[in-house]
């Protein structure tokens, strides 16, 4: 049970570096797979290089395509935010059920709709 504090520190350091390396490797894999500018063969080549020679493959990938990784991530986030905003605008623009029911009730009270037309419209809205 003799395990000095310094050895525990080094063990923890290596463990966290190993976890960091795995996260970095998956980040590179994700970037390779999601990159639309690479052909299928180029993706296969990068993945094979990163799997067979992981240290060299990842470092070469960062040197060759590292700047583009951040730009692609930023572009993907901006695109997702834009899609979300457009979805929210569309959802807010469509009237809800209560607004439609109030509108047809007002039309019925004004005499523009008969009772049968009102019931059909109400059933259609609630369906």
């Amino acid at each position: 049970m003799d395990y000095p504090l310094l050895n525990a520190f080094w063990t923890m350091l290596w463990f966290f570096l190993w976890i960091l390396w795995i996260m970095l490797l998956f980040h590179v894999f994700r970037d390779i797979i999601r990159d639309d500018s690479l052909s299928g063969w180029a993706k296969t080549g990068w993945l094979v290089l990163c799997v067979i020679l992981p240290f060299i493959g990842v470092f070469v990938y960062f040197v060759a395509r590292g700047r583009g990784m951040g730009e692609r991530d930023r572009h993907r986030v901006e695109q997702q935010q834009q899609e979300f905003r457009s979805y929210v605008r569309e959802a807010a623009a469509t009237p809800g059920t209560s607004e439609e029911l109030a509108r047809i009730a007002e039309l019925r009270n004004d005499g523009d709709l008969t009772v049968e037309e009102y019931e059909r419209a109400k059933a259609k809205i609630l369906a």
Side-chain angles (χ1 to χ4, degrees):
M1 289 289 235
D2 187 28
Y3 200 69
L5 184 62
L6 186 60
N7 286 350
F9 171 76
W10 282 112
T11 302
M12 286 178 26
L13 180 72
W14 283 111
F15 176 74
F16 286 119
L17 285 174
W18 182 69
I19 295 295
L20 196 71
W21 171 252
I22 290 174
M23 289 174 56
L24 183 67
L25 195 62
F26 278 109
H27 186 71
V28 168
F29 285 168
R30 186 185 73 203
D31 187 65
I32 292 170
I33 291 169
R34 288 184 175 178
D35 189 6
D36 293 333
S37 65
L38 287 176
S39 68
W41 288 107
K43 289 179 184 184
T44 304
W46 278 113
L47 288 173
V48 166
L49 180 66
C50 288
V51 168
I52 293 183
L53 301 170
F55 290 109
I56 294 172
V58 168
F59 293 135
V60 169
Y61 187 81
F62 275 125
V63 169
R65 301 182 50 86
R67 179 173 295 192
M69 287 177 70
E71 292 172 2
R72 284 187 292 277
D73 282 343
R74 183 182 49 80
H75 178 69
R76 190 173 298 114
V77 167
E78 288 174 355
Q79 183 181 7
Q80 288 174 347
Q81 287 176 347
Q82 183 181 11
E83 290 172 0
F84 176 73
R85 286 186 189 123
S86 67
Y87 170 75
V88 168
R89 282 190 201 107
E90 289 175 16
T94 58
T97 305
S98 61
E99 289 93 8
E100 290 184 35
L101 287 173
R103 185 178 55 84
I104 65 168
E106 183 180 330
L107 288 173
R108 185 194 61 176
N109 292 339
D110 291 342
D112 295 333
L113 288 178
T114 63
V115 175
E116 295 83 23
E117 290 173 333
Y118 171 75
E119 292 300 326
R120 274 187 273 141
K122 181 179 163 185
K124 184 178 178 182
I125 292 170
L126 295 176

